[in-house]
Amino acid sequence: MIDTSSRPSVAALRARIGWLCQILRFAAPAYALWVLVLLVLHWSDASEVTRAYSHWLRAELVEVPASQRLAGFLVHMIPWGLTALACGYLWKLFSGFLAGQVFSLEAALTLRRLALAGLASVTADLVARPILSVLMTIHLPPGSRHLGFFVLPHDMLNLMFLGGLLALAQVFKVAAEIAEDNAAIV
């Protein structure tokens, strides 16, 4: 791996984006923690869970029992864990940028891992929705239970954005490999 941290162009880029790197580094764990707190608050409030799933499933639900809310929380921990993983990669990527590893193979691979973790999180969330609809209505009599699957506009935006990030990571990786090959020749 080539050390680009002492090159003037990399130092100038770091000077321009350093503040943004710091903001994004600290926003990543803050976001993961914020989502976790929101999930804990949501799943611990029986009336909120009942209201939310009544709305999403377009059905009148009776209060969801605590055991089903716990199961719903545990199902939600899978997409959240993948989101936290993506946030960890975001922290690593921007920490590397601050350390001068801007146009490196490691940065490209971290960007790819970030995109893949994000895509996995969105996909896990989409898969969790029908599971959660069953969990939230399983206590109802037969005929009143629901299997709901829905995709929201922001899901498609997230998938497109993360797919673009994955493509950018691939381009970045190839560029870093070419730069390393060229440096080895010279």
Side-chain angles (χ1 to χ4, degrees), residues 69-102:
R69 286 186 286 117
L70 175 60
F73 175 76
L74 294 174
V75 167
H76 246 138
M77 285 297 91
I78 296 168
W80 177 83
L82 292 164
T83 297
L85 180 63
C87 289
Y89 286 131
L90 187 70
W91 174 277
K92 182 179 178 184
L93 179 69
F94 287 104
S95 294
F97 286 173
L98 287 170
Q101 298 302 317
V102 179

Tab-separated table of all heavy atoms in Angstrom, residues 69-102:
chain	number	residue	atom	x	y	z
A	69	ARG	N	-44.267	-8.351	21.677
A	69	ARG	CA	-43.492	-7.122	21.508
A	69	ARG	C	-41.999	-7.416	21.674
A	69	ARG	O	-41.176	-6.886	20.933
A	69	ARG	CB	-43.950	-6.037	22.481
A	69	ARG	CG	-45.286	-5.438	22.071
A	69	ARG	CD	-45.711	-4.272	22.932
A	69	ARG	NE	-46.151	-4.737	24.244
A	69	ARG	CZ	-45.578	-4.439	25.402
A	69	ARG	NH1	-44.546	-3.633	25.437
A	69	ARG	NH2	-46.044	-4.912	26.542
A	70	LEU	N	-41.663	-8.288	22.618
A	70	LEU	CA	-40.260	-8.687	22.789
A	70	LEU	C	-39.755	-9.409	21.538
A	70	LEU	O	-38.651	-9.134	21.050
A	70	LEU	CB	-40.086	-9.588	24.019
A	70	LEU	CG	-38.680	-10.153	24.231
A	70	LEU	CD1	-37.664	-9.025	24.407
A	70	LEU	CD2	-38.665	-11.108	25.416
A	71	ALA	N	-40.562	-10.285	20.996
A	71	ALA	CA	-40.182	-10.983	19.760
A	71	ALA	C	-40.010	-9.986	18.615
A	71	ALA	O	-39.060	-10.085	17.822
A	71	ALA	CB	-41.228	-12.035	19.398
A	72	GLY	N	-40.897	-9.010	18.535
A	72	GLY	CA	-40.784	-7.975	17.508
A	72	GLY	C	-39.502	-7.167	17.665
A	72	GLY	O	-38.816	-6.863	16.683
A	73	PHE	N	-39.178	-6.837	18.909
A	73	PHE	CA	-37.928	-6.111	19.181
A	73	PHE	C	-36.729	-6.939	18.728
A	73	PHE	O	-35.812	-6.415	18.087
A	73	PHE	CB	-37.839	-5.779	20.675
A	73	PHE	CG	-36.530	-5.147	21.067
A	73	PHE	CD1	-36.281	-3.821	20.769
A	73	PHE	CD2	-35.561	-5.888	21.728
A	73	PHE	CE1	-35.076	-3.230	21.130
A	73	PHE	CE2	-34.355	-5.318	22.087
A	73	PHE	CZ	-34.113	-3.980	21.798
A	74	LEU	N	-36.737	-8.219	19.051
A	74	LEU	CA	-35.608	-9.081	18.664
A	74	LEU	C	-35.495	-9.206	17.147
A	74	LEU	O	-34.383	-9.224	16.606
A	74	LEU	CB	-35.745	-10.455	19.326
A	74	LEU	CG	-35.614	-10.440	20.856
A	74	LEU	CD1	-35.910	-11.823	21.433
A	74	LEU	CD2	-34.253	-9.930	21.293
A	75	VAL	N	-36.621	-9.288	16.460
A	75	VAL	CA	-36.587	-9.309	14.988
A	75	VAL	C	-35.985	-8.003	14.471
A	75	VAL	O	-35.162	-8.003	13.559
A	75	VAL	CB	-37.995	-9.544	14.400
A	75	VAL	CG1	-38.028	-9.259	12.908
A	75	VAL	CG2	-38.455	-10.973	14.670
A	76	HIS	N	-36.370	-6.885	15.079
A	76	HIS	CA	-35.851	-5.580	14.660
A	76	HIS	C	-34.364	-5.421	14.949
A	76	HIS	O	-33.705	-4.561	14.350
A	76	HIS	CB	-36.621	-4.455	15.355
A	76	HIS	CG	-37.413	-3.640	14.399
A	76	HIS	ND1	-38.683	-3.219	14.677
A	76	HIS	CD2	-37.131	-3.143	13.176
A	76	HIS	CE1	-39.150	-2.525	13.677
A	76	HIS	NE2	-38.224	-2.460	12.750
A	77	MET	N	-33.823	-6.226	15.857
A	77	MET	CA	-32.401	-6.119	16.173
A	77	MET	C	-31.517	-6.594	15.008
A	77	MET	O	-30.360	-6.191	14.916
A	77	MET	CB	-32.062	-6.929	17.435
A	77	MET	CG	-32.532	-6.271	18.721
A	77	MET	SD	-31.767	-4.665	19.060
A	77	MET	CE	-32.897	-3.526	18.299
A	78	ILE	N	-32.049	-7.415	14.121
A	78	ILE	CA	-31.247	-7.873	12.973
A	78	ILE	C	-30.957	-6.708	12.024
A	78	ILE	O	-29.785	-6.420	11.752
A	78	ILE	CB	-31.914	-9.076	12.278
A	78	ILE	CG1	-31.951	-10.262	13.245
A	78	ILE	CG2	-31.180	-9.433	10.982
A	78	ILE	CD1	-32.829	-11.404	12.795
A	79	PRO	N	-31.976	-6.001	11.508
A	79	PRO	CA	-31.644	-4.833	10.669
A	79	PRO	C	-30.853	-3.771	11.431
A	79	PRO	O	-29.958	-3.144	10.871
A	79	PRO	CB	-33.000	-4.281	10.226
A	79	PRO	CG	-34.017	-5.304	10.555
A	79	PRO	CD	-33.416	-6.247	11.549
A	80	TRP	N	-31.174	-3.592	12.723
A	80	TRP	CA	-30.427	-2.600	13.489
A	80	TRP	C	-28.958	-3.002	13.595
A	80	TRP	O	-28.070	-2.143	13.458
A	80	TRP	CB	-31.006	-2.402	14.888
A	80	TRP	CG	-30.159	-1.423	15.658
A	80	TRP	CD1	-30.235	-0.065	15.598
A	80	TRP	CD2	-29.070	-1.726	16.530
A	80	TRP	NE1	-29.257	0.499	16.384
A	80	TRP	CE2	-28.529	-0.507	16.959
A	80	TRP	CE3	-28.496	-2.911	16.978
A	80	TRP	CZ2	-27.439	-0.429	17.837
A	80	TRP	CZ3	-27.413	-2.843	17.847
A	80	TRP	CH2	-26.899	-1.613	18.269
A	81	GLY	N	-28.672	-4.274	13.838
A	81	GLY	CA	-27.284	-4.729	13.930
A	81	GLY	C	-26.526	-4.470	12.638
A	81	GLY	O	-25.362	-4.057	12.653
A	82	LEU	N	-27.185	-4.685	11.508
A	82	LEU	CA	-26.551	-4.415	10.216
A	82	LEU	C	-26.374	-2.908	10.003
A	82	LEU	O	-25.371	-2.473	9.422
A	82	LEU	CB	-27.378	-5.040	9.092
A	82	LEU	CG	-27.372	-6.571	9.095
A	82	LEU	CD1	-28.492	-7.130	8.223
A	82	LEU	CD2	-26.012	-7.100	8.664
A	83	THR	N	-27.311	-2.122	10.504
A	83	THR	CA	-27.163	-0.665	10.448
A	83	THR	C	-25.983	-0.223	11.302
A	83	THR	O	-25.177	0.616	10.885
A	83	THR	CB	-28.456	0.034	10.934
A	83	THR	OG1	-29.523	-0.322	10.046
A	83	THR	CG2	-28.299	1.541	10.994
A	84	ALA	N	-25.864	-0.800	12.498
A	84	ALA	CA	-24.734	-0.469	13.373
A	84	ALA	C	-23.413	-0.872	12.717
A	84	ALA	O	-22.418	-0.148	12.821
A	84	ALA	CB	-24.898	-1.165	14.729
A	85	LEU	N	-23.405	-2.010	12.021
A	85	LEU	CA	-22.207	-2.438	11.297
A	85	LEU	C	-21.853	-1.420	10.208
A	85	LEU	O	-20.685	-1.028	10.058
A	85	LEU	CB	-22.426	-3.822	10.691
A	85	LEU	CG	-21.267	-4.418	9.903
A	85	LEU	CD1	-20.049	-4.646	10.798
A	85	LEU	CD2	-21.709	-5.719	9.241
A	86	ALA	N	-22.849	-0.966	9.450
A	86	ALA	CA	-22.613	0.049	8.420
A	86	ALA	C	-22.068	1.330	9.049
A	86	ALA	O	-21.150	1.963	8.509
A	86	ALA	CB	-23.900	0.326	7.645
A	87	CYS	N	-22.610	1.699	10.199
A	87	CYS	CA	-22.115	2.888	10.900
A	87	CYS	C	-20.664	2.703	11.336
A	87	CYS	O	-19.865	3.640	11.291
A	87	CYS	CB	-23.004	3.207	12.102
A	87	CYS	SG	-24.622	3.851	11.639
A	88	GLY	N	-20.319	1.492	11.747
A	88	GLY	CA	-18.922	1.197	12.093
A	88	GLY	C	-18.001	1.355	10.894
A	88	GLY	O	-16.897	1.905	11.006
A	89	TYR	N	-18.445	0.890	9.739
A	89	TYR	CA	-17.648	1.061	8.521
A	89	TYR	C	-17.556	2.528	8.121
A	89	TYR	O	-16.527	2.977	7.608
A	89	TYR	CB	-18.199	0.223	7.375
A	89	TYR	CG	-17.916	-1.244	7.520
A	89	TYR	CD1	-18.932	-2.186	7.369
A	89	TYR	CD2	-16.642	-1.716	7.819
A	89	TYR	CE1	-18.678	-3.536	7.501
A	89	TYR	CE2	-16.379	-3.062	7.962
A	89	TYR	CZ	-17.402	-3.972	7.792
A	89	TYR	OH	-17.146	-5.313	7.928
A	90	LEU	N	-18.618	3.286	8.353
A	90	LEU	CA	-18.583	4.711	8.058
A	90	LEU	C	-17.537	5.393	8.942
A	90	LEU	O	-16.744	6.208	8.472
A	90	LEU	CB	-19.966	5.334	8.273
A	90	LEU	CG	-20.121	6.787	7.841
A	90	LEU	CD1	-20.090	6.888	6.325
A	90	LEU	CD2	-21.414	7.358	8.374
A	91	TRP	N	-17.519	5.036	10.219
A	91	TRP	CA	-16.511	5.564	11.151
A	91	TRP	C	-15.111	5.219	10.655
A	91	TRP	O	-14.230	6.078	10.587
A	91	TRP	CB	-16.732	4.986	12.551
A	91	TRP	CG	-15.654	5.357	13.522
A	91	TRP	CD1	-14.449	4.751	13.695
A	91	TRP	CD2	-15.663	6.442	14.452
A	91	TRP	NE1	-13.712	5.375	14.655
A	91	TRP	CE2	-14.443	6.431	15.141
A	91	TRP	CE3	-16.597	7.421	14.758
A	91	TRP	CZ2	-14.119	7.354	16.123
A	91	TRP	CZ3	-16.273	8.332	15.746
A	91	TRP	CH2	-15.054	8.301	16.412
A	92	LYS	N	-14.903	3.967	10.268
A	92	LYS	CA	-13.586	3.520	9.806
A	92	LYS	C	-13.169	4.235	8.524
A	92	LYS	O	-12.013	4.644	8.375
A	92	LYS	CB	-13.603	2.007	9.571
A	92	LYS	CG	-12.273	1.446	9.137
A	92	LYS	CD	-12.335	-0.047	8.946
A	92	LYS	CE	-10.973	-0.547	8.462
A	92	LYS	NZ	-10.992	-1.962	8.168
A	93	LEU	N	-14.099	4.405	7.594
A	93	LEU	CA	-13.800	5.064	6.328
A	93	LEU	C	-13.332	6.495	6.561
A	93	LEU	O	-12.282	6.911	6.050
A	93	LEU	CB	-15.038	5.054	5.425
A	93	LEU	CG	-14.873	5.729	4.066
A	93	LEU	CD1	-13.925	4.924	3.182
A	93	LEU	CD2	-16.235	5.887	3.395
A	94	PHE	N	-14.084	7.253	7.335
A	94	PHE	CA	-13.726	8.647	7.540
A	94	PHE	C	-12.554	8.823	8.493
A	94	PHE	O	-11.819	9.805	8.386
A	94	PHE	CB	-14.955	9.462	7.946
A	94	PHE	CG	-15.866	9.673	6.776
A	94	PHE	CD1	-17.029	8.941	6.645
A	94	PHE	CD2	-15.544	10.569	5.777
A	94	PHE	CE1	-17.856	9.104	5.546
A	94	PHE	CE2	-16.353	10.743	4.665
A	94	PHE	CZ	-17.522	10.010	4.555
A	95	SER	N	-12.324	7.872	9.373
A	95	SER	CA	-11.102	7.892	10.181
A	95	SER	C	-9.891	7.679	9.281
A	95	SER	O	-8.853	8.328	9.455
A	95	SER	CB	-11.150	6.800	11.256
A	95	SER	OG	-12.171	7.064	12.188
A	96	GLY	N	-10.027	6.770	8.314
A	96	GLY	CA	-8.951	6.548	7.347
A	96	GLY	C	-8.686	7.791	6.510
A	96	GLY	O	-7.536	8.146	6.246
A	97	PHE	N	-9.761	8.464	6.095
A	97	PHE	CA	-9.583	9.700	5.329
A	97	PHE	C	-8.787	10.718	6.146
A	97	PHE	O	-7.885	11.374	5.629
A	97	PHE	CB	-10.932	10.304	4.934
A	97	PHE	CG	-11.658	9.582	3.832
A	97	PHE	CD1	-12.939	9.962	3.496
A	97	PHE	CD2	-11.085	8.529	3.132
A	97	PHE	CE1	-13.636	9.327	2.475
A	97	PHE	CE2	-11.770	7.873	2.115
A	97	PHE	CZ	-13.047	8.270	1.785
A	98	LEU	N	-9.123	10.840	7.424
A	98	LEU	CA	-8.406	11.785	8.286
A	98	LEU	C	-6.947	11.388	8.477
A	98	LEU	O	-6.090	12.242	8.673
A	98	LEU	CB	-9.105	11.898	9.647
A	98	LEU	CG	-10.424	12.657	9.636
A	98	LEU	CD1	-11.139	12.495	10.967
A	98	LEU	CD2	-10.199	14.136	9.314
A	99	ALA	N	-6.673	10.082	8.391
A	99	ALA	CA	-5.296	9.590	8.540
A	99	ALA	C	-4.524	9.649	7.219
A	99	ALA	O	-3.367	9.253	7.172
A	99	ALA	CB	-5.310	8.164	9.080
A	100	GLY	N	-5.181	10.119	6.163
A	100	GLY	CA	-4.499	10.258	4.883
A	100	GLY	C	-4.712	9.104	3.929
A	100	GLY	O	-4.164	9.100	2.832
A	101	GLN	N	-5.496	8.133	4.311
A	101	GLN	CA	-5.780	6.994	3.438
A	101	GLN	C	-7.017	7.302	2.611
A	101	GLN	O	-8.070	6.724	2.794
A	101	GLN	CB	-5.976	5.714	4.278
A	101	GLN	CG	-4.760	5.332	5.068
A	101	GLN	CD	-3.535	5.126	4.187
A	101	GLN	OE1	-3.610	4.520	3.136
A	101	GLN	NE2	-2.415	5.655	4.626
A	102	VAL	N	-6.861	8.252	1.690
A	102	VAL	CA	-7.991	8.723	0.912
A	102	VAL	C	-8.167	7.900	-0.351
A	102	VAL	O	-9.240	7.363	-0.612
A	102	VAL	CB	-7.830	10.230	0.582
A	102	VAL	CG1	-8.998	10.716	-0.258
A	102	VAL	CG2	-7.707	11.043	1.867
